[in-house]
Amino acid sequence: MECRDGSLYYAKVQLGSPPRDFYVQIDTGSDVLWVSCRPCNGCPESSGLHIPLNFFDPGSSSTASPVSCSDQRCSLGIQSSDSGCSTQNNMCSYTFQYGDGSGTSGYYVSDLLNFDTIVGNSLTANSTARIVFGCSTTQTGDLTKSDRAVDGIFGFGQQGLSVISQLASEGIAPKAFSHCLRGDGDGGGILVLGEIVEPSIVYTPLVPSQPHYNLNLQSISVNGQTLPIDPSVFATSNGQGTIVDSGTTLAYVTDEVYNPLVNAVTAIVSQAARVVLSKGNQCYIISLSVNEVFPQLSLNFEGGASLLLGPQDYLLQQSSIDGSAVWCMGFQKIQGQGITILGDLVLKNKIFVYDLAGQRIGWANYDCSMSVNVSTAINTGRNEYVNTGDLSRGISIRVASSRELIICCIIASVLCVLITGIFQHL
């Protein structure tokens, strides 16, 4: 599931021998890492994000090899209905369709992912791990547009062909990852293969046996008052439910959720804001600070975990009118689907931990320009203090040695698994 709209988080990954850089969107709503390959039908040649676009060429990498139909790894994709087999060349192929109608198809290759390894307090550069990833030969929909084009998508889902699952099965990384996405104008953030340690993190269980990161959302409150929404609206069944998806920019809810939510917010701000409609969105013109006018929202999940949203976590600022600020609802209606998607709008400025081994997700409000504690050893439970204060526009990841969790460090110009990430406002 992915709804690509006005902004995205992307990062840089190194693949092949010799290693080449590829900018990829970070997406927890899909599973597979794929990059553009030549020849490619519909792949952009340039990007409005002012990043160089590259095409992966398996023939130019001395360590690349195609994944055949008989390869056991191909069967992992077939089980999730994304993969198939080409009878002409015996290559394992795939086709992905995203929530915004865009899509890509191609074939799987096996090659080296390049990264730096941390063992204790020492750094070993130029480490590698062999992974399977997609070689895209066709792109459609928004993926063909140059204004926010990247080289591919890095899926952080939990299916067998996701990179996090592949590294965990090889004992290179734990089956967990965390992110803290900055929401200010500079963007960036921190992405860790492992768990960020923060005392205020609250956890809720994942809904089992789902293709996405589904959670049991039970109710929504506005200034502490629970909205009159039937809890069955949030239930996970037959493709319905609540999904956490970093590949989606905003947040999407059904009519049964959107209408009472907007009505409650509007009732509270009616004395201090003028309500207008802009391109079908509910907007508010205010002369005071947004935090003075608008209420706090609370998304309440199974196990007592609540995701608290301040005004800037559910509103988007638009251009001003006669010196007054215009703020619009960032929660959008999703038509014809009984689904709630929590995208970057509500994920930013928070630590999110995806504990896949424990089948739970946790979060805590956090200044993502600050330092974080990252667990670096599974057995001892030691924590390593990681300084992210120098990070301005980058996401950086380092991989720890076997039996140690991956820790994140911010070192300019050092090439790791992922280095440069940015929340690009378009």
Side-chain angles (χ1 to χ4, degrees), residues 32 63-80 82-85 91-94 108-112 129-133 159-162 165-166 169-170:
V32 172
T63 50
S65 60
V67 176
S68 68
C69 291
S70 58
D71 193 306
Q72 184 178 4
R73 295 169 295 184
C74 184
S75 64
L76 294 175
I78 293 176
Q79 290 171 6
S80 61
D82 292 327
S83 301
C85 271
M91 293 176 63
C92 186
S93 59
Y94 64 85
Y108 288 112
V109 296
S110 174
D111 207 346
L112 298 182
R130 181 166 288 278
I131 62 167
V132 171
F133 59 92
Q159 301 300 314
L161 278 182
S162 71
S165 293
Q166 292 185 62
S169 66
E170 296 170 11

Side-chain angles (χ1 to χ4, degrees), residues 179-257:
H179 60 64
C180 196
L181 307 177
R182 289 177 61 175
D184 58 23
D186 287 335
I190 188 168
L191 180 59
V192 177
L193 301 187
E195 296 188 37
I196 295 177
V197 178
E198 168 62 31
S200 60
I201 291 178
V202 294
Y203 285 91
T204 189
L206 283 165
V207 179
S209 305
Q210 298 298 313
H212 303 293
Y213 292 118
N214 284 70
L215 302 178
N216 282 317
L217 177 61
Q218 297 179 329
S219 66
I220 298 177
S221 304
V222 177
N223 268 1
Q225 297 297 311
T226 302
L227 298 179
I229 301 172
D230 187 339
S232 65
V233 171
F234 303 119
T236 300
S237 63
N238 300 323
Q240 300 182 346
T242 301
I243 295 171
V244 176
D245 181 12
S246 69
T248 293
T249 304
L250 303 178
Y252 294 84
V253 294
T254 63
D255 286 343
E256 295 91 338
V257 176

Side-chain angles (χ1 to χ4, degrees), residues 31 40 72 76 81-82 191 260 266 280 306 332 345 355 360 376 421:
D31 296 297
C40 187
Q72 184 178 4
L76 294 175
S81 303
D82 292 327
L191 180 59
T266 302
S306 292
Q332 307 289 301
L345 177 70
D355 177 10
R360 61 180 187 164
T376 60

Side-chain angles (χ1 to χ4, degrees), residues 7-19:
S7 52
L8 55 87
Y9 284 93
Y10 62 85
K12 186 163 64 178
V13 63
Q14 284 198 320
L15 300 169
S17 302

Side-chain angles (χ1 to χ4, degrees), residues 9 307 349 391 406 408 422:
Y9 284 93
L307 181 61
N349 300 320
L391 177 64
I406 300 163
C408 163
I422 174 173

